[in-house]
Amino acid sequence: MGMSVIISAAAAEDAEQILKLQYLGYQGEAELYGDWTLDPLTQTLESLRAELADQQFLVARLGDEVVGTVRGRIGADGVARIGRLVVHPRMQRHGLGGRLLEALERRLAEDGRPVTAFHLFTGHRSLGNLRLYARQGYRQTTVEQISGRLTLVHLEKPAAAPLAATA
């Protein structure tokens, strides 16, 4: 009998598993861009723990193992910035990334502060990421040249307007 993947808020004790998953998940990105100094590959455990306290983090668990993660926070401008969506390589292409993204969007929208849009970015060669984000309703807003090898594609999607109350 197989286990189900459960998405929930990350806890402080998940920090090490999140960091290991992040490192594993970004290996392909580093190879794709020929850059092993990407922030997710050089982040320290202390820095990740600080982010856990400062942002909304979700994890996807298969039993006790963290097999997916995503984080985000709402800026003063009402834009929810989403980052570091990572799914374990063996769990990819089964809809888990989309589920994590939707769950975080919902959680941020229910945070009590108004959200006008959701923003994220990925590298220009990360075609799988770009396809996933397009399926989730994200549209390209800007392109930012970082280096000769890396261009970031910024994407955004409007937050769903709350339904009007009926009299």
Side-chain angles (χ1 to χ4, degrees), residues 56-78:
Q56 295 271 357
F57 269 72
L58 295 182
V59 292
R61 296 180 201 284
L62 185 62
D64 292 333
E65 183 185 5
V66 173
V67 295
T69 185
V70 66
R71 65 193 80 174
R73 73 169 141 230
I74 304 167
D77 58 359

Side-chain angles (χ1 to χ4, degrees), residues 103-122:
L104 183 61
E105 289 170 359
R106 233 182 355 266
R107 178 162 298 224
L108 290 168
E110 294 168 355
D111 189 56
R113 292 179 285 162
V115 175
T116 58
F118 298 99
H119 176 90
L120 48 76
F121 62 85
T122 191

Side-chain angles (χ1 to χ4, degrees), residues 78-159:
V79 175
R81 288 170 177 78
I82 296 174
R84 300 201 185 160
L85 173 62
V86 183
V87 174
H88 193 289
R90 77 170 188 273
M91 302 293 293
Q92 291 176 1
R93 291 179 241 336
H94 297 288
L96 185 53
R99 285 180 53 205
L100 276 162
L101 196 53
E102 289 170 1
L104 183 61
E105 289 170 359
R106 233 182 355 266
R107 178 162 298 224
L108 290 168
E110 294 168 355
D111 189 56
R113 292 179 285 162
V115 175
T116 58
F118 298 99
H119 176 90
L120 48 76
F121 62 85
T122 191
H124 70 289
R125 294 181 188 157
S126 303
L127 302 181
N129 295 351
L130 289 166
R131 282 191 298 271
L132 168 65
Y133 301 144
R135 279 194 309 272
Q136 296 296 320
Y138 285 81
R139 299 294 172 253
Q140 180 178 318
T141 56
T142 59
V143 176
E144 175 187 9
Q145 184 79 38
I146 300 298
S147 70
R149 291 185 256 183
L150 175 62
T151 300
L152 293 180
V153 179
H154 292 261
L155 303 113
E156 204 164 277
K157 124 178 174 178

Side-chain angles (χ1 to χ4, degrees), residues 34-62:
D35 184 356
W36 298 90
T37 64
L38 298 173
D39 288 345
L41 296 176
T42 60
Q43 184 171 26
T44 65
L45 184 57
E46 294 74 31
S47 144
L48 181 76
R49 284 188 172 126
E51 285 184 14
L52 266 168
D54 186 47
Q55 296 184 49
Q56 295 271 357
F57 269 72
L58 295 182
V59 292
R61 296 180 201 284
L62 185 62

